[in-house]
Amino acid sequence: MRSHVLVIYGSPKSDGATKKLCDSYLAKEGISTYQWYDCFHEMPTPCNDCGYCKTHDGCSKPDLQSFYTALEQCDFLIIATPIYNNSFPAPLKALIDRLQVYYNARFCRGIRPPVRIQKEVALLLTAGGSKDCSELIVSQLRPVFTVINATLRTCLFVKSTDAKNEVPTVLHFE
């Protein structure tokens, strides 16, 4: 049973295809209680490789303290995002780069594992075009999942969301 669910939302739209996919997934999984982190609302400061986390616990920038706590405490992580140019929207990319604190905890300071609670991940992806680049996204996230003690369990991809200005309705999942 999932006791702490964290949703990382990477879309600038509060009612677009990504939100519809996320809402459908939450409903299908029966998840009604979760923490929500909206990358476009929060606008995490980008990592500038200051080196602080190589020798200290945490980050020199204070804007993600509550996010780090939520991430460390969750046992189920949902990442819902559109795909921009075969990658992530900039605010989500900034958040992912700031997970460097866990990489450095593991590889520079020898903390194993840097995140104690193991988590499962559902990756929910949308794209305006018809090209399926979900494998590219997954390959970018695999090293991150390793250092945050996470295993990808589900990857859903909805393509062609720009077609005819319609937002697809997601009724079932594999």
Side-chain angles (χ1 to χ4, degrees), residues 104-148:
N104 282 330
R106 166 68 175 86
F107 293 104
C108 294
R109 298 194 334 268
I111 299 171
R112 297 175 186 180
V115 176
R116 299 243 178 254
I117 297 174
Q118 189 172 16
K119 51 194 89 303
E120 293 185 344
V121 179
L123 184 57
L124 311 178
L125 305 170
T126 59
S130 61
K131 181 181 175 190
D132 183 349
C133 53
S134 57
E135 282 301 315
L136 179 59
I137 297 296
V138 169
S139 71
Q140 292 176 57
L141 288 172
R142 279 199 201 307
V144 174
F145 291 160
T146 299
V147 296
I148 64 168

Side-chain angles (χ1 to χ4, degrees), residues 10-109:
S11 176
K13 297 180 182 176
S14 61
D15 61 351
T18 303
K19 181 69 162 74
K20 185 172 256 191
L21 176 61
C22 188
D23 288 347
S24 295
Y25 182 80
L26 290 166
K28 193 259 183 212
E29 292 295 313
I31 300 170
S32 58
T33 304
Y34 49 87
Q35 287 183 268
W36 183 265
Y37 184 86
D38 184 327
C39 295
F40 275 85
H41 177 74
E42 300 295 333
M43 287 293 189
T45 303
C47 179
N48 63 355
D49 193 26
C50 69
Y52 181 87
C53 64
K54 290 179 182 176
T55 57
H56 298 86
D57 200 22
C59 181
S60 65
K61 297 165 186 56
D63 61 324
L64 293 182
Q65 293 310 319
S66 61
F67 170 79
Y68 290 142
T69 299
L71 179 67
E72 291 170 18
Q73 292 175 352
C74 80
D75 56 8
F76 192 66
L77 177 64
I78 298 169
I79 302 172
T81 185
I83 297 172
Y84 287 2
N85 297 310
N86 294 331
S87 192
F88 308 98
L92 177 55
K93 177 65 166 95
L95 181 72
I96 292 167
D97 288 348
R98 292 281 299 282
L99 298 179
Q100 186 72 10
V101 298
Y102 300 111
Y103 177 89
N104 282 330
R106 166 68 175 86
F107 293 104
C108 294
R109 298 194 334 268

